[in-house]
Amino acid sequence: MSTTDRTAARGRPRTSARVAAALPSWGELVARFGRRPRETPIVPRASIAAGALVAVVAIMTFLASLTAGAVVTVIGAAAEWQSDVAREVTVQVRPMAGRDLDADVARTVEIVRTAPGVTAVQPQDKAESAKLLEPWLGSGLSLDSLPVPRLIVVAVTPGRPPDYVALKARLAAEVPGATLDDHRAFARRLRAMADTAVGIGLAVLALVMAATVLSVAFATRGAMATNRPTVEVLHFIGAKDAYVAGQFMRHFLFLGLHGGAIGGGAAALVFLLLGLVGGRLFGLGGADVAALFGGAALGPGGYLVLVGLVAVVALVTAVTARRVVTVTLRQVG
C-alpha cells in the first residue's frame, strides 16, 4: 500500500462512526417533529423469555401469598385465642376424704362470685364432667367411684381481672381442694408459638423475594444481551442511560404485574375455597378448623395484604431490572 493510500485509510472514519454521523441526533428528532416520536419498546413483550419470567414471578408470588396469608391467619387466630383465654379462668375442686364435694363447690362459687372483676360463675355438674371425659373414657361410664374433680368456669372483665393472688390465697384457706388456673402459662406458650410461626413465615417471604430478585436479574441481563444492537443505536443518536434503563424498567414492571396478578389471584382463590369448604378437605369438621384458625379464611385485611404483596413483587421486579441495566451500562461505558 502506498503512502497516499495509508494516509487516506488513517483519515477514513470507522464504519460505526460513519453510521452515527449519518443518523440524526435525539435533539434533532425532537426539534424536527415537535415532540418525541412514538416510542417502540426496546424489549418485545411477546417473547419466550418474557413468558418464562411471567411464569416464574407467578409461582413466586403464589408461594409468597400463601405464606403471607398463613401468617395473617396465625396472627388473627393467636389474638383470638389470647382474647378468649383472658376472658375466662377456671377453678378446679378436687374431692378430698372427709369433705363434701358439693358443699366445697358451692362455697367456692360464693367466694369467686364476690371477687372484684368477676362477671359470671358457672359450675359444672356431674353430667357435664362426664361429658368432658367421654373422648378418653367413653360414654356410659359411672364416675361415682372415680375421684373426678369439678370445674367452675369464671368469666372476668377484660382488662380488669380480679386479684388472682388474693383469690388463690382465700380459696386455699377456705376450700383446701380448690385450685385456680388463670391460664397465663398457656397464653405465654401460645404467644411463643405464634411468634415462631410468624418468624418462619417472614423468613420464607424473604427467601422468595431473594429468589425473585435473582430471577429478574438474570432475565434482565439476557434481555440486554439479546437487544444490545438496539441499545447501541440508541446511544449513537444521543439516548441517555436513564432512558434505556426506564424502558427496561417499564417492560419488567408490566411482566411483574402480570405474573404477580396471576400468582396472587391463585392464592386468593385457594384461601377463598378453604374458607368455603372448611376443614372437610383435611378430614376435620368445619367447627374444628374454625376453632383453630377462624375458618381458615382471610378477612378483608388479609386480601388487602395479598394485593399489597402483588404490588411489592411488581415494584421489586421493576427496580431490580432498572438497577441491573444501569450497572451494566456503566460497566460497558
Side-chain angles (χ1 to χ4, degrees), residues 107 110-112 114-115 165-175:
R107 180 56 184 161
E110 293 177 2
I111 294 173
V112 173
T114 59
V165 176
L167 186 56
K168 288 180 180 179
R170 186 178 177 186
L171 288 174
E174 300 188 25
V175 186

Side-chain angles (χ1 to χ4, degrees), residues 31-326:
R32 183 182 303 174
F33 294 99
R35 59 180 178 85
R36 290 186 178 183
R38 185 177 181 181
E39 296 179 354
T40 301
I42 297 177
V43 186
R45 291 184 177 179
S47 63
I48 298 177
L53 182 61
V54 168
V56 171
V57 173
I59 294 173
M60 294 298 180
T61 307
F62 177 74
L63 296 177
S65 298
L66 288 182
T67 304
V71 169
V72 171
T73 303
V74 169
I75 292 176
E80 186 175 354
W81 294 339
Q82 291 176 356
S83 178
D84 292 341
V85 168
R87 286 197 297 264
E88 288 185 351
V89 297
T90 56
V91 179
Q92 179 178 269
V93 183
R94 300 185 307 274
M96 300 185 67
R99 296 186 64 89
D100 186 356
L101 180 58
D102 292 332
D104 286 345
V105 171
R107 180 56 184 161
T108 302
V109 170
E110 293 177 2
I111 294 173
V112 173
R113 184 173 284 131
T114 59
V118 174
T119 58
V121 180
Q122 180 62 44
Q124 294 183 348
D125 55 19
K126 291 183 180 181
E128 291 173 329
S129 299
K131 190 175 181 179
L132 290 175
L133 296 175
E134 279 185 5
W136 292 272
L137 301 181
S139 59
L141 180 65
S142 177
L143 302 179
D144 295 335
S145 59
L146 297 177
V148 178
R150 302 276 288 278
L151 293 180
I152 301 173
V153 180
V154 182
V156 300
T157 303
R160 291 185 300 170
D163 187 352
Y164 293 125
V165 176
L167 186 56
K168 288 180 180 179
R170 186 178 177 186
L171 288 174
E174 300 188 25
V175 186
T179 56
L180 174 67
D181 185 5
D182 56 7
H183 311 305
R184 282 184 290 185
F186 174 75
R188 287 194 296 268
R189 290 194 297 268
L190 184 62
R191 180 178 292 275
M193 291 173 56
D195 291 343
T196 301
V198 171
I200 293 174
L202 293 178
V204 172
L205 281 177
L207 291 176
V208 170
M209 287 298 176
T212 303
V213 169
L214 292 176
S215 300
V216 173
F218 282 116
T220 305
R221 290 185 179 274
M224 288 193 66
T226 303
N227 299 275
R228 183 168 182 171
T230 304
V231 175
E232 290 179 348
V233 170
L234 288 174
H235 274 168
F236 285 150
I237 63 177
K240 303 297 183 182
D241 290 350
Y243 170 78
V244 177
Q247 290 286 316
F248 277 90
M249 184 183 72
R250 283 191 290 272
H251 171 73
F252 282 96
L253 177 62
F254 172 78
L255 297 182
L257 284 174
H258 189 188
I262 294 174
L269 183 61
V270 168
F271 283 108
L272 182 62
L273 291 177
L274 285 177
L276 294 176
V277 177
R280 287 185 290 274
L281 290 176
F282 307 98
L284 299 174
D288 297 330
V289 174
L292 288 175
F293 304 108
L298 293 179
Y303 289 106
L304 286 178
V305 170
L306 298 188
V307 173
L309 186 60
V310 171
V312 169
V313 169
L315 182 61
V316 167
T317 302
V319 171
T320 301
R322 184 181 183 91
R323 179 62 179 170
V324 171
V325 171
T326 302

Side-chain angles (χ1 to χ4, degrees), residues 1-10 12:
M1 181 182 291
S2 64
T3 305
T4 304
D5 294 337
R6 287 196 299 271
T7 303
R10 283 197 299 268
R12 186 182 302 133

